[in-house]
Amino acid sequence: MRKILFGLALSSAGLLAQPVVSSAVNAAGYMRAGLPNGGVAQGSFIAIFGTNIGPAVPPTGIAVSGYPIQTTFSGVSGRVGGRDLLVVYASPGQVGAIVPSDTPLGAQSLTLTFGGQTSAALSVQVIARSFGVFTLNQAGSGPVVGLKFISQTDQPPSTLLEAMNPGGTITLFGTGMGASNNPDNMTATSATIPGLSASDVEVLIGGKPAPVRFFGRSSCCSSIDQIVADIPADVTPGCYVPMIVRVRGITGNASTISIAAPGKKVCSDPGGYTEEQLIAAQANGGMRQGLLNANKISIEVPGQPTILSDGMGASFIRYDINGLVRSSGDSSQFANGACTIYNVDDAEGGSVDPVTFAELDAGPALAIRNSNGTKTLDKVQNSRGFYTKTITGLPAGLPPGTPLPTLPGFEFGPEYLTIGDHTFTGPGGADVGAFSATINWPAVFNWTNRASIVTVNRASNLTINWTGGDPQGTTQITGFSSSRIGDKTIGAGFVCLEATSRGTFTIPSAILSALPVTGLISGSPLGQLAVYGMSRIANFTASGLDFGYMLYLSGQAKGSLQYN
C-alpha cells in the first residue's frame, strides 16, 4: 500500500488567541478561490490557512496516524456547510481536512475551532468536483507526483532522473473528483466516483491526449483520487513536458512530466539540461546555473502611447538536488505545441516557484555590447546573483528639459536591442568566473493578427499568427487574467510554445477556460496577451557553473485586455 505524503506549511507557535481562517484550497492543486476551478469539492482533501488555527507541537504528532479519521485532532475541529470536517493534520498556520461528501453545494460557511474558540466564518463555494493533482513542490505547480510503471512490484516516483518514456504508464494522485459512496473517514473499498464516466476524465501531456487506463478513488488514502494514464507514443521528450488534467470539463492545476527518449532513464532538452549534466548534478548534490537574457517588448494599451522597452537581465543560482527535481524549470524549455497554466496572485501576472535556491555572485556588474554600444547591468539591490538593465523610450509629449527619475538598473533612452549580435560579459565574482557569450537575433518578429484581438472569449480556441524572428527558435505566447476579490487580486495565466517556423498556434479553450473573467481596476481590465519570438537557446560556459544558457526575446503585448 502506497501513501501520499501531504505537504505541510508550518509556522511558529502562536498564542491561544481566536483562530483566524484566511483561505481554503484544494490540497493538491492549490487552485485559488474565485478561479473557475477554485471551489471546495465534495469529498476532497483541502488545506486551510490562517493564524492560531492549531497547536504548535501536537502531542500525538502533526498528522493522524491511522483510520478512521476523526472530526477532532489535537484539539482542532471544523465545520463547513453544517457538516463536520474530518481533520487530517494541524499546525498553527495550516490545517488539512476532508470535506464530507454530503456537504451541500453552493456558498457555505467554513469555521475552525481550537483552544475553545471558534474562528469567524470564511465563505467558500462548495462544488461537485474540481480535480487537483499533487506536485513535488507541494504547491500545485511544477513536476507532478507520479509513479513510473516498470512492473507491478517496481513503480518508482518519476523525476528528472527517473523519467518516463513515450508509451510508458504513469500513476497520478490528486483530490477533488467528487463525492464518493465510501465512508469519507476510511480508505476506499470502491474506486467508483458516482456520476463520472470514462469520457469525463481527460489527460493532456505535451498537448496530446493521453489514454486513461483507470480513474477513481485510490485505495491508499481517504479522499485521494488516482489516475493511470499512458504517455502518448508521439510526445516530444523533454524535462518539463506540460500536463493538464480535466474532469467533467474543468481544467485543474497544471504540472509537468519528465519524459526521456526511448531507452533512456534521464531526461534532456535541446539547449537545456543534458543527460550528463543531470547525472553529474545527482553525484554532486546540486546544479549551478546561469541565465543571460535580452527582452524587447512593445506594449500596447488602449488610449495610451505604445511603450517600447528593452530589458536585459542575468541570474546565477544553485539548486541542491532536492530543489532541482522539485523546481518548475524555465518556461522557455517546455515542449513546443503545448501550454501550461499558473496561478496569479498580483496585478502584474507573474508566477513564483516556491522551491528555494542559493544565489551565486558573478561580480559587481555585468555588461552587454551590440552595434548601439555598451550598457551596464547593475546588480539588483539586496541580491547576490541577479543583474538587470531596462531601457524605455521617453514618455510621449514630455516637455524639453523635464527632469527624469533615475533608478538603479533603469534608464530612458532610444531603442537599444536590435538585429545582430549581442555579447554579454562578466568580470567574475566570488562564485562565478569571468565569461563572454554572444547571441544573435536574425530578424524582426511581428505578431500579425494582434489588431484583430480586441477581447478574448475563454470558451473558444484562440489562433495566434506571426512572422519573422529566429526560424530555428520558438514562439512564446503568454497571457493572464485577474480579478479583485475583496482586497486581493486573484487570477491565472498561461504559457504556450510553438516552433517559430510554423507561423501559427491555436490556444485551446481548455487552457483559456482556466482563467477568470477579467476584473477592472480604476476602470481598466486586469488582462494581458503577449506574443514573443524567442531565439534558439544558446549555451555558455564559466568556471563555477554547471550549466549556462542565454535567450533573446522580441515581441508585442496587449495590455488592459478583457477575457470574457
Side-chain angles (χ1 to χ4, degrees):
M1 180 184 298
R2 295 184 181 274
K3 301 292 184 183
I4 299 298
L5 179 63
F6 299 124
L8 306 180
L10 304 183
S11 63
S12 59
L15 300 175
L16 292 181
Q18 182 179 17
V20 176
V21 176
S22 57
S23 63
V25 297
N26 182 294
Y30 279 67
M31 298 89 80
R32 307 298 199 265
L35 297 181
N37 57 11
V40 173
Q42 294 173 315
S44 68
F45 180 49
I46 64 172
I48 305 167
F49 295 91
T51 55
N52 306 312
I53 58 176
V57 183
T60 53
I62 206 70
V64 296
S65 57
Y67 296 96
I69 298 173
Q70 305 296 323
T71 58
T72 299
F73 172 69
S74 291
V76 178
S77 62
R79 288 176 67 79
V80 59
R83 304 295 191 270
D84 290 327
L85 294 168
L86 298 166
V87 183
V88 177
Y89 64 81
S91 72
Q94 183 175 335
V95 167
I98 296 170
V99 178
S101 290
D102 64 350
T103 303
L105 299 176
Q108 305 293 344
S109 294
L110 183 151
T111 59
L112 288 180
T113 298
F114 173 62
Q117 299 193 66
T118 299
S119 70
L122 174 72
S123 179
V124 297
Q125 192 72 22
V126 179
I127 56 179
R129 62 192 90 250
S130 182
F131 179 76
V133 65
F134 284 101
T135 59
L136 292 178
N137 69 13
Q138 301 179 358
S141 62
V144 72
V145 172
L147 303 181
K148 177 182 178 180
F149 182 86
I150 298 173
S151 69
Q152 289 292 346
T153 57
D154 188 8
Q155 298 183 49
S158 179
T159 67
L160 299 169
L161 300 160
E162 185 67 71
M164 302 297 302
N165 299 110
T169 301
I170 189 168
T171 300
L172 308 169
F173 296 92
T175 188
M177 277 192 180
S180 170
N181 290 330
N182 299 288
D184 292 308
N185 64 341
M186 300 292 293
T187 55
T189 57
S190 169
T192 301
I193 306 292
L196 280 188
S197 63
S199 61
D200 291 325
V201 180
E202 307 168 75
V203 179
L204 296 174
I205 298 176
K208 300 178 183 296
V212 175
R213 291 174 175 258
F214 168 85
F215 70 90
R217 270 301 190 270
S218 173
S219 61
C220 85
C221 321
S222 178
S223 78
I224 301 303
D225 303 314
Q226 182 176 332
I227 296 175
V228 180
D230 292 335
I231 307 297
D234 59 346
V235 72
T236 302
C239 290
Y240 301 97
V241 179
M243 185 186 78
I244 298 290
V245 179
R246 285 167 56 84
V247 175
R248 189 63 71 80
I250 299 175
T251 301
N253 60 307
S255 58
T256 62
I257 296 178
S258 296
I259 302 177
K264 295 286 189 177
K265 181 178 179 181
V266 179
C267 67
S268 63
D269 279 306
Y273 301 139
T274 66
E275 178 184 10
E276 293 75 19
Q277 286 170 336
L278 289 172
I279 292 173
Q282 184 178 32
N284 298 330
M287 175 83 78
R288 302 167 299 176
Q289 59 188 50
L291 166 63
L292 308 172
N293 66 86
N295 305 279
K296 173 181 278 305
I297 183 169
S298 173
I299 306 173
E300 302 173 2
V301 176
Q304 299 182 24
T306 298
I307 299 173
L308 182 64
S309 179
D310 289 342
M312 294 140 280
S315 61
F316 300 89
I317 62 174
R318 181 189 184 275
Y319 284 111
D320 64 27
I321 191 62
N322 184 47
L324 181 65
V325 299
R326 293 187 299 118
S327 67
S328 296
D330 188 322
S331 61
S332 66
Q333 298 173 357
F334 292 162
N336 286 346
C339 302
T340 190
I341 55 178
Y342 58 88
N343 289 328
V344 171
D345 291 329
D346 56 43
E348 303 300 321
S351 63
V352 177
D353 188 344
V355 177
T356 58
F357 50 79
E359 297 183 22
L360 304 176
D361 175 57
L366 308 182
I368 183 171
R369 183 181 70 254
N370 65 17
S371 59
N372 291 321
T374 300
K375 297 291 183 181
T376 299
L377 279 66
D378 299 312
K379 184 171 286 190
V380 174
Q381 188 175 9
N382 299 323
S383 166
R384 181 176 177 85
F386 288 83
Y387 302 80
T388 186
K389 167 67 75 176
T390 299
I391 304 171
T392 189
L394 291 172
L398 192 70
T402 302
L404 299 174
T406 56
L407 299 171
F410 176 87
E411 68 179 66
F412 289 105
E415 182 178 3
Y416 175 73
L417 296 175
T418 59
I419 294 171
D421 286 341
H422 304 265
T423 300
F424 288 87
T425 56
D431 305 306
V432 179
F435 64 86
S436 177
T438 299
I439 191 165
N440 178 268
W441 183 244
V444 172
F445 178 87
N446 186 33
W447 171 16
T448 56
N449 68 332
R450 68 182 184 276
S452 65
I453 301 175
V454 180
T455 60
V456 176
N457 181 355
R458 300 175 305 117
S460 300
N461 297 341
L462 177 64
T463 297
I464 302 295
N465 302 319
W466 62 85
T467 59
D470 185 345
Q472 298 183 49
T474 299
T475 292
Q476 182 182 85
I477 306 165
T478 69
F480 71 87
S481 176
S482 298
S483 292
R484 295 288 293 177
I485 300 178
D487 60 349
K488 297 180 180 179
T489 300
I490 300 295
F494 65 87
V495 179
C496 305
L497 295 185
E498 183 56 281
T500 295
S501 59
R502 294 183 62 88
T504 187
F505 181 80
T506 297
I507 309 167
S509 60
I511 296 296
L512 296 172
S513 64
L515 276 59
V517 173
T518 309
L520 303 177
I521 183 168
S522 300
S524 297
L526 293 171
Q528 180 175 291
L529 181 64
V531 184
Y532 303 91
M534 186 166 62
S535 67
R536 72 203 82 175
I537 297 175
N539 295 114
F540 74 96
T541 60
S543 62
L545 292 181
D546 304 305
F547 170 63
Y549 67 114
M550 56 194 307
L551 293 168
Y552 187 109
L553 292 89
S554 178
Q556 297 88 39
K558 299 194 75 162
S560 295
L561 187 67
Q562 181 72 43
Y563 289 75
N564 294 323

Short mmCIF file of all heavy atoms in Angstrom, two decimals, residues 442-464:
data_model
loop_
_atom_site.label_atom_id
_atom_site.label_comp_id
_atom_site.label_asym_id
_atom_site.label_seq_id
_atom_site.Cartn_x
_atom_site.Cartn_y
_atom_site.Cartn_z
N PRO A 442 18.26 37.32 -35.57
CA PRO A 442 18.40 37.47 -37.02
C PRO A 442 17.39 38.36 -37.72
O PRO A 442 17.69 38.88 -38.80
CB PRO A 442 18.27 36.03 -37.52
CG PRO A 442 17.36 35.38 -36.52
CD PRO A 442 17.69 36.02 -35.20
N ALA A 443 16.18 38.53 -37.17
CA ALA A 443 15.15 39.24 -37.94
C ALA A 443 14.07 39.79 -37.01
O ALA A 443 13.85 39.27 -35.90
CB ALA A 443 14.51 38.30 -38.96
N VAL A 444 13.39 40.84 -37.45
CA VAL A 444 12.27 41.42 -36.70
C VAL A 444 11.16 40.38 -36.56
O VAL A 444 10.84 39.65 -37.50
CB VAL A 444 11.74 42.68 -37.42
CG1 VAL A 444 10.46 43.18 -36.76
CG2 VAL A 444 12.81 43.77 -37.41
N PHE A 445 10.56 40.33 -35.38
CA PHE A 445 9.42 39.44 -35.11
C PHE A 445 8.15 40.27 -35.07
O PHE A 445 8.12 41.34 -34.46
CB PHE A 445 9.62 38.71 -33.78
CG PHE A 445 8.47 37.79 -33.42
CD1 PHE A 445 8.45 36.49 -33.87
CD2 PHE A 445 7.42 38.24 -32.63
CE1 PHE A 445 7.40 35.64 -33.55
CE2 PHE A 445 6.37 37.41 -32.29
CZ PHE A 445 6.36 36.11 -32.76
N ASN A 446 7.06 39.75 -35.66
CA ASN A 446 5.82 40.52 -35.71
C ASN A 446 4.62 39.61 -35.46
O ASN A 446 4.41 38.62 -36.18
CB ASN A 446 5.66 41.21 -37.07
CG ASN A 446 4.46 42.14 -37.10
OD1 ASN A 446 4.09 42.74 -36.10
ND2 ASN A 446 3.84 42.26 -38.27
N TRP A 447 3.85 39.92 -34.44
CA TRP A 447 2.56 39.26 -34.15
C TRP A 447 1.54 39.87 -35.11
O TRP A 447 1.09 40.98 -34.92
CB TRP A 447 2.21 39.49 -32.70
CG TRP A 447 0.85 39.07 -32.25
CD1 TRP A 447 -0.03 38.26 -32.88
CD2 TRP A 447 0.22 39.45 -31.02
NE1 TRP A 447 -1.18 38.09 -32.15
CE2 TRP A 447 -1.05 38.81 -31.00
CE3 TRP A 447 0.60 40.26 -29.95
CZ2 TRP A 447 -1.94 38.99 -29.93
CZ3 TRP A 447 -0.28 40.43 -28.88
CH2 TRP A 447 -1.54 39.79 -28.87
N THR A 448 1.17 39.14 -36.16
CA THR A 448 0.47 39.74 -37.29
C THR A 448 -1.03 39.95 -37.08
O THR A 448 -1.61 40.82 -37.71
CB THR A 448 0.67 38.89 -38.55
OG1 THR A 448 0.25 37.54 -38.30
CG2 THR A 448 2.14 38.90 -38.97
N ASN A 449 -1.68 39.17 -36.23
CA ASN A 449 -3.13 39.34 -36.07
C ASN A 449 -3.50 39.99 -34.73
O ASN A 449 -4.63 39.85 -34.25
CB ASN A 449 -3.87 38.01 -36.23
CG ASN A 449 -3.60 37.01 -35.12
OD1 ASN A 449 -2.52 37.04 -34.52
ND2 ASN A 449 -4.56 36.14 -34.86
N ARG A 450 -2.57 40.72 -34.14
CA ARG A 450 -2.85 41.31 -32.82
C ARG A 450 -3.94 42.37 -32.89
O ARG A 450 -4.72 42.53 -31.94
CB ARG A 450 -1.58 41.87 -32.19
CG ARG A 450 -0.97 43.09 -32.85
CD ARG A 450 0.32 43.49 -32.13
NE ARG A 450 0.91 44.70 -32.65
CZ ARG A 450 1.71 44.77 -33.68
NH1 ARG A 450 1.99 43.65 -34.36
NH2 ARG A 450 2.22 45.91 -34.10
N ALA A 451 -4.03 43.13 -33.99
CA ALA A 451 -5.04 44.19 -34.06
C ALA A 451 -6.45 43.64 -34.04
O ALA A 451 -7.39 44.30 -33.58
CB ALA A 451 -4.81 45.03 -35.32
N SER A 452 -6.64 42.41 -34.51
CA SER A 452 -7.98 41.83 -34.58
C SER A 452 -8.44 41.23 -33.26
O SER A 452 -9.61 40.87 -33.10
CB SER A 452 -8.03 40.74 -35.66
OG SER A 452 -7.18 39.65 -35.32
N ILE A 453 -7.54 41.11 -32.29
CA ILE A 453 -7.89 40.53 -30.99
C ILE A 453 -8.19 41.67 -30.03
O ILE A 453 -7.27 42.30 -29.48
CB ILE A 453 -6.77 39.63 -30.47
CG1 ILE A 453 -6.50 38.49 -31.46
CG2 ILE A 453 -7.13 39.06 -29.09
CD1 ILE A 453 -5.33 37.61 -31.09
N VAL A 454 -9.48 41.96 -29.86
CA VAL A 454 -9.90 43.06 -29.00
C VAL A 454 -10.31 42.55 -27.62
O VAL A 454 -10.05 43.17 -26.60
CB VAL A 454 -11.06 43.83 -29.66
CG1 VAL A 454 -11.52 44.98 -28.79
CG2 VAL A 454 -10.64 44.34 -31.04
N THR A 455 -10.96 41.41 -27.59
CA THR A 455 -11.30 40.69 -26.36
C THR A 455 -11.01 39.21 -26.60
O THR A 455 -10.82 38.77 -27.74
CB THR A 455 -12.78 40.87 -25.97
OG1 THR A 455 -13.61 40.35 -27.01
CG2 THR A 455 -13.11 42.33 -25.71
N VAL A 456 -10.96 38.44 -25.52
CA VAL A 456 -10.71 37.01 -25.61
C VAL A 456 -11.91 36.26 -25.04
O VAL A 456 -12.31 36.49 -23.90
CB VAL A 456 -9.43 36.61 -24.84
CG1 VAL A 456 -9.25 35.09 -24.86
CG2 VAL A 456 -8.21 37.29 -25.46
N ASN A 457 -12.50 35.38 -25.85
CA ASN A 457 -13.58 34.50 -25.42
C ASN A 457 -12.97 33.25 -24.82
O ASN A 457 -12.39 32.43 -25.54
CB ASN A 457 -14.49 34.16 -26.60
CG ASN A 457 -15.66 33.27 -26.20
OD1 ASN A 457 -15.76 32.83 -25.05
ND2 ASN A 457 -16.54 33.01 -27.14
N ARG A 458 -13.08 33.06 -23.52
CA ARG A 458 -12.44 31.95 -22.84
C ARG A 458 -13.03 30.60 -23.23
O ARG A 458 -12.40 29.56 -23.02
CB ARG A 458 -12.54 32.12 -21.32
CG ARG A 458 -11.87 33.40 -20.81
CD ARG A 458 -12.10 33.59 -19.32
NE ARG A 458 -13.50 33.58 -18.98
CZ ARG A 458 -14.09 32.69 -18.20
NH1 ARG A 458 -13.37 31.73 -17.63
NH2 ARG A 458 -15.39 32.76 -17.95
N ALA A 459 -14.23 30.59 -23.80
CA ALA A 459 -14.89 29.34 -24.17
C ALA A 459 -14.53 28.88 -25.58
O ALA A 459 -15.00 27.83 -26.02
CB ALA A 459 -16.41 29.49 -24.04
N SER A 460 -13.72 29.65 -26.29
CA SER A 460 -13.36 29.32 -27.67
C SER A 460 -11.85 29.23 -27.83
O SER A 460 -11.09 29.86 -27.08
CB SER A 460 -13.91 30.38 -28.64
OG SER A 460 -15.32 30.47 -28.56
N ASN A 461 -11.41 28.48 -28.82
CA ASN A 461 -9.99 28.46 -29.16
C ASN A 461 -9.58 29.82 -29.69
O ASN A 461 -10.39 30.55 -30.27
CB ASN A 461 -9.71 27.39 -30.21
CG ASN A 461 -10.00 25.98 -29.73
OD1 ASN A 461 -10.08 25.73 -28.53
ND2 ASN A 461 -10.17 25.06 -30.66
N LEU A 462 -8.31 30.17 -29.53
CA LEU A 462 -7.80 31.46 -30.00
C LEU A 462 -6.54 31.21 -30.83
O LEU A 462 -5.55 30.66 -30.33
CB LEU A 462 -7.46 32.37 -28.82
CG LEU A 462 -6.84 33.73 -29.18
CD1 LEU A 462 -7.83 34.58 -29.97
CD2 LEU A 462 -6.40 34.47 -27.92
N THR A 463 -6.59 31.62 -32.11
CA THR A 463 -5.46 31.41 -33.01
C THR A 463 -4.57 32.65 -33.04
O THR A 463 -5.05 33.78 -33.14
CB THR A 463 -5.95 31.09 -34.43
OG1 THR A 463 -6.68 29.86 -34.40
CG2 THR A 463 -4.78 30.94 -35.39
N ILE A 464 -3.26 32.42 -32.95
CA ILE A 464 -2.24 33.48 -32.99
C ILE A 464 -1.37 33.24 -34.22
O ILE A 464 -0.92 32.11 -34.47
CB ILE A 464 -1.37 33.44 -31.71
CG1 ILE A 464 -2.23 33.60 -30.45
CG2 ILE A 464 -0.29 34.52 -31.78
CD1 ILE A 464 -2.92 34.94 -30.32
#
